[in-house]
Amino acid sequence: MNFKPKELIITKLEQGLPAITPAFGAALAEACAVCLNDQGNIQGVELQVQGDLTDVFKIYWQEVTDQMLRCWNDNEYTTEQAAYGITLLIIQELTEYTVVERSRRGTGFDYWLGKKGDNNQLPFQNAVRLEVSAIRQGDDSKIKARAKQKLEQVNSVDSSLPVYIVIVEFSKPLCFVMKK
Amino acid sequence: MNQIQDLHKQAMDLAEMAQVAKLKGDSVLALQLSKQAFEKERLAAELIVNNFAAEPTRSVLHRSAATLAIDCGEIAAAERLIAVALSGNPPQEIAEELKDLFVQINIDKYFARRGIEFDSAKL
């Protein structure tokens, strides 16, 4: 059997998405490259997708330059942006959704997802929210703790709006997805 | 694209341009663009104000307009928009965000009236 593993080409973010301009997508791709390199990953490393979505991708990213390292010197911010990059690609690949808008909530940076090709007359109708959490380096227990914390946060509200919660870890690349 | 979608999209584009102007240090242009974004989003919200069944659109547009109002210093307008949004049927999580926004713009004044110094950075 000729099994070809799925590939996730991070630089595809440079093409943009409905709510991601090519320039911003390129920035997210840079953040991903910096995080993946920083954790000693090599090109083609496997990214495990676990939880309510499951899959495995071999991931590829651009070369990291000194200028990129100086640009992305804030670890927390870089990890957060990189997690958005990975998440938006995974959502695009594995679901019927795509990112349609950055939320204009007073705090936080979650996104609205909409069905690909959907042409609703009103914005936000049938939309799904996306909450992303980033961990540069953490073991299973840290990922589980973060997932539990996010679940409690979501469950504390009797929500009528569906939400995808995604936790991305970069040392043994993992994308843990929950849909509520 | 209908009028609400069109106004909302224009508002978001102007808000992005305002962010870019702010990053470039042009605070005058940033404020100008923020005001334009706020006006567009307020108009979009007004078009749906009587449609209480159109959730979450109604509450999200009002919350978005309120956030943009805060960006350009129109605090009284933001309070009205939050109140209008809450007077409808917002999903609970949007309602919580609207209440948080109301607290955010009033907490300093609340403590000041009671003579308490409050460091909002510690929130």
PDB file of all heavy atoms in Angstrom, chain A residues 13-39:
ATOM      1  N   LEU A  13       0.208  29.867   4.977  1.00  0.00           N
ATOM      2  CA  LEU A  13      -0.479  30.975   5.653  1.00  0.00           C
ATOM      3  C   LEU A  13      -0.256  32.289   4.904  1.00  0.00           C
ATOM      4  O   LEU A  13      -1.054  33.212   4.999  1.00  0.00           O
ATOM      5  CB  LEU A  13       0.027  31.110   7.092  1.00  0.00           C
ATOM      6  CG  LEU A  13      -0.508  30.090   8.103  1.00  0.00           C
ATOM      7  CD1 LEU A  13       0.364  30.065   9.350  1.00  0.00           C
ATOM      8  CD2 LEU A  13      -1.952  30.414   8.477  1.00  0.00           C
ATOM      9  N   GLU A  14       0.874  32.363   4.166  1.00  0.00           N
ATOM     10  CA  GLU A  14       1.193  33.595   3.419  1.00  0.00           C
ATOM     11  C   GLU A  14       0.163  33.883   2.335  1.00  0.00           C
ATOM     12  O   GLU A  14       0.112  34.984   1.793  1.00  0.00           O
ATOM     13  CB  GLU A  14       2.587  33.480   2.793  1.00  0.00           C
ATOM     14  CG  GLU A  14       3.693  33.452   3.819  1.00  0.00           C
ATOM     15  CD  GLU A  14       5.044  33.093   3.224  1.00  0.00           C
ATOM     16  OE1 GLU A  14       5.173  33.086   1.975  1.00  0.00           O
ATOM     17  OE2 GLU A  14       5.968  32.813   4.002  1.00  0.00           O
ATOM     18  N   GLN A  15      -0.635  32.867   1.983  1.00  0.00           N
ATOM     19  CA  GLN A  15      -1.677  33.104   0.965  1.00  0.00           C
ATOM     20  C   GLN A  15      -2.895  33.792   1.568  1.00  0.00           C
ATOM     21  O   GLN A  15      -3.775  34.261   0.856  1.00  0.00           O
ATOM     22  CB  GLN A  15      -2.097  31.767   0.334  1.00  0.00           C
ATOM     23  CG  GLN A  15      -0.996  31.112  -0.472  1.00  0.00           C
ATOM     24  CD  GLN A  15      -1.298  29.650  -0.789  1.00  0.00           C
ATOM     25  OE1 GLN A  15      -2.431  29.186  -0.659  1.00  0.00           O
ATOM     26  NE2 GLN A  15      -0.275  28.922  -1.196  1.00  0.00           N
ATOM     27  N   GLY A  16      -2.963  33.820   2.892  1.00  0.00           N
ATOM     28  CA  GLY A  16      -4.088  34.456   3.573  1.00  0.00           C
ATOM     29  C   GLY A  16      -5.310  33.548   3.649  1.00  0.00           C
ATOM     30  O   GLY A  16      -5.378  32.503   2.995  1.00  0.00           O
ATOM     31  N   LEU A  17      -6.249  33.947   4.487  1.00  0.00           N
ATOM     32  CA  LEU A  17      -7.533  33.254   4.667  1.00  0.00           C
ATOM     33  C   LEU A  17      -8.597  34.357   4.727  1.00  0.00           C
ATOM     34  O   LEU A  17      -8.243  35.536   4.786  1.00  0.00           O
ATOM     35  CB  LEU A  17      -7.499  32.456   5.972  1.00  0.00           C
ATOM     36  CG  LEU A  17      -6.590  31.224   5.971  1.00  0.00           C
ATOM     37  CD1 LEU A  17      -6.324  30.733   7.393  1.00  0.00           C
ATOM     38  CD2 LEU A  17      -7.208  30.110   5.138  1.00  0.00           C
ATOM     39  N   PRO A  18      -9.884  34.007   4.729  1.00  0.00           N
ATOM     40  CA  PRO A  18     -10.888  35.079   4.695  1.00  0.00           C
ATOM     41  C   PRO A  18     -10.670  36.196   5.719  1.00  0.00           C
ATOM     42  O   PRO A  18     -10.942  37.351   5.422  1.00  0.00           O
ATOM     43  CB  PRO A  18     -12.194  34.328   4.934  1.00  0.00           C
ATOM     44  CG  PRO A  18     -11.943  32.978   4.353  1.00  0.00           C
ATOM     45  CD  PRO A  18     -10.504  32.678   4.643  1.00  0.00           C
ATOM     46  N   ALA A  19     -10.186  35.863   6.904  1.00  0.00           N
ATOM     47  CA  ALA A  19      -9.980  36.931   7.893  1.00  0.00           C
ATOM     48  C   ALA A  19      -8.500  37.120   8.222  1.00  0.00           C
ATOM     49  O   ALA A  19      -8.154  37.741   9.225  1.00  0.00           O
ATOM     50  CB  ALA A  19     -10.746  36.619   9.177  1.00  0.00           C
ATOM     51  N   ILE A  20      -7.637  36.561   7.397  1.00  0.00           N
ATOM     52  CA  ILE A  20      -6.191  36.694   7.615  1.00  0.00           C
ATOM     53  C   ILE A  20      -5.589  37.260   6.340  1.00  0.00           C
ATOM     54  O   ILE A  20      -5.626  36.599   5.292  1.00  0.00           O
ATOM     55  CB  ILE A  20      -5.543  35.312   7.924  1.00  0.00           C
ATOM     56  CG1 ILE A  20      -6.185  34.653   9.151  1.00  0.00           C
ATOM     57  CG2 ILE A  20      -4.027  35.437   8.120  1.00  0.00           C
ATOM     58  CD1 ILE A  20      -5.939  35.338  10.458  1.00  0.00           C
ATOM     59  N   THR A  21      -5.050  38.459   6.403  1.00  0.00           N
ATOM     60  CA  THR A  21      -4.427  39.030   5.211  1.00  0.00           C
ATOM     61  C   THR A  21      -3.125  38.277   4.925  1.00  0.00           C
ATOM     62  O   THR A  21      -2.527  37.689   5.851  1.00  0.00           O
ATOM     63  CB  THR A  21      -4.097  40.518   5.428  1.00  0.00           C
ATOM     64  OG1 THR A  21      -3.183  40.616   6.526  1.00  0.00           O
ATOM     65  CG2 THR A  21      -5.344  41.342   5.717  1.00  0.00           C
ATOM     66  N   PRO A  22      -2.679  38.282   3.663  1.00  0.00           N
ATOM     67  CA  PRO A  22      -1.410  37.601   3.370  1.00  0.00           C
ATOM     68  C   PRO A  22      -0.257  38.104   4.251  1.00  0.00           C
ATOM     69  O   PRO A  22       0.570  37.310   4.702  1.00  0.00           O
ATOM     70  CB  PRO A  22      -1.172  37.944   1.892  1.00  0.00           C
ATOM     71  CG  PRO A  22      -2.555  38.110   1.329  1.00  0.00           C
ATOM     72  CD  PRO A  22      -3.346  38.765   2.440  1.00  0.00           C
ATOM     73  N   ALA A  23      -0.238  39.410   4.526  1.00  0.00           N
ATOM     74  CA  ALA A  23       0.851  39.959   5.355  1.00  0.00           C
ATOM     75  C   ALA A  23       0.788  39.401   6.773  1.00  0.00           C
ATOM     76  O   ALA A  23       1.812  39.005   7.349  1.00  0.00           O
ATOM     77  CB  ALA A  23       0.765  41.486   5.385  1.00  0.00           C
ATOM     78  N   PHE A  24      -0.411  39.338   7.329  1.00  0.00           N
ATOM     79  CA  PHE A  24      -0.548  38.814   8.696  1.00  0.00           C
ATOM     80  C   PHE A  24      -0.269  37.311   8.706  1.00  0.00           C
ATOM     81  O   PHE A  24       0.362  36.786   9.634  1.00  0.00           O
ATOM     82  CB  PHE A  24      -1.942  39.127   9.253  1.00  0.00           C
ATOM     83  CG  PHE A  24      -2.093  38.790  10.705  1.00  0.00           C
ATOM     84  CD1 PHE A  24      -1.329  39.430  11.665  1.00  0.00           C
ATOM     85  CD2 PHE A  24      -2.978  37.811  11.121  1.00  0.00           C
ATOM     86  CE1 PHE A  24      -1.449  39.113  13.010  1.00  0.00           C
ATOM     87  CE2 PHE A  24      -3.110  37.485  12.462  1.00  0.00           C
ATOM     88  CZ  PHE A  24      -2.347  38.132  13.408  1.00  0.00           C
ATOM     89  N   GLY A  25      -0.738  36.616   7.653  1.00  0.00           N
ATOM     90  CA  GLY A  25      -0.467  35.181   7.535  1.00  0.00           C
ATOM     91  C   GLY A  25       1.021  34.900   7.504  1.00  0.00           C
ATOM     92  O   GLY A  25       1.510  33.950   8.129  1.00  0.00           O
ATOM     93  N   ALA A  26       1.770  35.755   6.783  1.00  0.00           N
ATOM     94  CA  ALA A  26       3.225  35.585   6.709  1.00  0.00           C
ATOM     95  C   ALA A  26       3.840  35.758   8.090  1.00  0.00           C
ATOM     96  O   ALA A  26       4.781  35.036   8.468  1.00  0.00           O
ATOM     97  CB  ALA A  26       3.807  36.592   5.730  1.00  0.00           C
ATOM     98  N   ALA A  27       3.307  36.702   8.859  1.00  0.00           N
ATOM     99  CA  ALA A  27       3.825  36.920  10.218  1.00  0.00           C
ATOM    100  C   ALA A  27       3.544  35.701  11.098  1.00  0.00           C
ATOM    101  O   ALA A  27       4.414  35.248  11.855  1.00  0.00           O
ATOM    102  CB  ALA A  27       3.183  38.170  10.822  1.00  0.00           C
ATOM    103  N   LEU A  28       2.338  35.148  10.979  1.00  0.00           N
ATOM    104  CA  LEU A  28       2.008  33.949  11.769  1.00  0.00           C
ATOM    105  C   LEU A  28       2.943  32.795  11.397  1.00  0.00           C
ATOM    106  O   LEU A  28       3.392  32.039  12.267  1.00  0.00           O
ATOM    107  CB  LEU A  28       0.550  33.539  11.533  1.00  0.00           C
ATOM    108  CG  LEU A  28      -0.553  34.490  11.993  1.00  0.00           C
ATOM    109  CD1 LEU A  28      -1.933  33.888  11.717  1.00  0.00           C
ATOM    110  CD2 LEU A  28      -0.438  34.816  13.472  1.00  0.00           C
ATOM    111  N   ALA A  29       3.226  32.666  10.091  1.00  0.00           N
ATOM    112  CA  ALA A  29       4.125  31.587   9.637  1.00  0.00           C
ATOM    113  C   ALA A  29       5.511  31.767  10.235  1.00  0.00           C
ATOM    114  O   ALA A  29       6.162  30.788  10.637  1.00  0.00           O
ATOM    115  CB  ALA A  29       4.194  31.580   8.105  1.00  0.00           C
ATOM    116  N   GLU A  30       5.976  33.002  10.311  1.00  0.00           N
ATOM    117  CA  GLU A  30       7.295  33.260  10.925  1.00  0.00           C
ATOM    118  C   GLU A  30       7.287  32.849  12.395  1.00  0.00           C
ATOM    119  O   GLU A  30       8.235  32.225  12.878  1.00  0.00           O
ATOM    120  CB  GLU A  30       7.637  34.759  10.835  1.00  0.00           C
ATOM    121  CG  GLU A  30       8.150  35.179   9.482  1.00  0.00           C
ATOM    122  CD  GLU A  30       8.729  36.595   9.509  1.00  0.00           C
ATOM    123  OE1 GLU A  30       8.813  37.186  10.602  1.00  0.00           O
ATOM    124  OE2 GLU A  30       9.072  37.083   8.431  1.00  0.00           O
ATOM    125  N   ALA A  31       6.223  33.210  13.095  1.00  0.00           N
ATOM    126  CA  ALA A  31       6.135  32.853  14.523  1.00  0.00           C
ATOM    127  C   ALA A  31       6.168  31.340  14.694  1.00  0.00           C
ATOM    128  O   ALA A  31       6.843  30.820  15.592  1.00  0.00           O
ATOM    129  CB  ALA A  31       4.857  33.446  15.124  1.00  0.00           C
ATOM    130  N   CYS A  32       5.445  30.622  13.821  1.00  0.00           N
ATOM    131  CA  CYS A  32       5.454  29.147  13.879  1.00  0.00           C
ATOM    132  C   CYS A  32       6.872  28.619  13.694  1.00  0.00           C
ATOM    133  O   CYS A  32       7.330  27.739  14.438  1.00  0.00           O
ATOM    134  CB  CYS A  32       4.583  28.549  12.758  1.00  0.00           C
ATOM    135  SG  CYS A  32       2.833  28.752  13.001  1.00  0.00           S
ATOM    136  N   ALA A  33       7.572  29.155  12.686  1.00  0.00           N
ATOM    137  CA  ALA A  33       8.925  28.680  12.385  1.00  0.00           C
ATOM    138  C   ALA A  33       9.836  28.894  13.588  1.00  0.00           C
ATOM    139  O   ALA A  33      10.617  28.005  13.965  1.00  0.00           O
ATOM    140  CB  ALA A  33       9.466  29.417  11.158  1.00  0.00           C
ATOM    141  N   VAL A  34       9.733  30.064  14.210  1.00  0.00           N
ATOM    142  CA  VAL A  34      10.583  30.377  15.364  1.00  0.00           C
ATOM    143  C   VAL A  34      10.307  29.393  16.503  1.00  0.00           C
ATOM    144  O   VAL A  34      11.239  28.844  17.114  1.00  0.00           O
ATOM    145  CB  VAL A  34      10.352  31.840  15.820  1.00  0.00           C
ATOM    146  CG1 VAL A  34      10.993  32.101  17.181  1.00  0.00           C
ATOM    147  CG2 VAL A  34      10.905  32.810  14.778  1.00  0.00           C
ATOM    148  N   CYS A  35       9.043  29.124  16.785  1.00  0.00           N
ATOM    149  CA  CYS A  35       8.694  28.214  17.900  1.00  0.00           C
ATOM    150  C   CYS A  35       9.144  26.780  17.608  1.00  0.00           C
ATOM    151  O   CYS A  35       9.677  26.102  18.500  1.00  0.00           O
ATOM    152  CB  CYS A  35       7.185  28.239  18.152  1.00  0.00           C
ATOM    153  SG  CYS A  35       6.611  29.768  18.872  1.00  0.00           S
ATOM    154  N   LEU A  36       8.900  26.324  16.392  1.00  0.00           N
ATOM    155  CA  LEU A  36       9.256  24.942  16.056  1.00  0.00           C
ATOM    156  C   LEU A  36      10.771  24.752  16.095  1.00  0.00           C
ATOM    157  O   LEU A  36      11.278  23.742  16.600  1.00  0.00           O
ATOM    158  CB  LEU A  36       8.689  24.577  14.673  1.00  0.00           C
ATOM    159  CG  LEU A  36       7.166  24.414  14.648  1.00  0.00           C
ATOM    160  CD1 LEU A  36       6.626  24.483  13.213  1.00  0.00           C
ATOM    161  CD2 LEU A  36       6.749  23.096  15.300  1.00  0.00           C
ATOM    162  N   ASN A  37      11.514  25.736  15.575  1.00  0.00           N
ATOM    163  CA  ASN A  37      12.979  25.666  15.603  1.00  0.00           C
ATOM    164  C   ASN A  37      13.525  25.718  17.017  1.00  0.00           C
ATOM    165  O   ASN A  37      14.431  24.969  17.380  1.00  0.00           O
ATOM    166  CB  ASN A  37      13.552  26.866  14.834  1.00  0.00           C
ATOM    167  CG  ASN A  37      14.204  26.429  13.555  1.00  0.00           C
ATOM    168  OD1 ASN A  37      13.671  25.556  12.888  1.00  0.00           O
ATOM    169  ND2 ASN A  37      15.334  27.019  13.218  1.00  0.00           N
ATOM    170  N   ASP A  38      12.960  26.622  17.797  1.00  0.00           N
ATOM    171  CA  ASP A  38      13.411  26.827  19.176  1.00  0.00           C
ATOM    172  C   ASP A  38      13.329  25.535  19.983  1.00  0.00           C
ATOM    173  O   ASP A  38      14.122  25.308  20.896  1.00  0.00           O
ATOM    174  CB  ASP A  38      12.535  27.924  19.803  1.00  0.00           C
ATOM    175  CG  ASP A  38      12.781  28.078  21.282  1.00  0.00           C
ATOM    176  OD1 ASP A  38      13.913  28.464  21.629  1.00  0.00           O
ATOM    177  OD2 ASP A  38      11.872  27.798  22.084  1.00  0.00           O
ATOM    178  N   GLN A  39      12.376  24.682  19.629  1.00  0.00           N
ATOM    179  CA  GLN A  39      12.188  23.436  20.381  1.00  0.00           C
ATOM    180  C   GLN A  39      12.975  22.272  19.763  1.00  0.00           C
ATOM    181  O   GLN A  39      12.780  21.120  20.133  1.00  0.00           O
ATOM    182  CB  GLN A  39      10.697  23.087  20.455  1.00  0.00           C
ATOM    183  CG  GLN A  39       9.904  24.055  21.341  1.00  0.00           C
ATOM    184  CD  GLN A  39      10.464  24.096  22.760  1.00  0.00           C
ATOM    185  OE1 GLN A  39      10.634  23.069  23.398  1.00  0.00           O
ATOM    186  NE2 GLN A  39      10.790  25.299  23.225  1.00  0.00           N
TER     187      GLN A  39
END
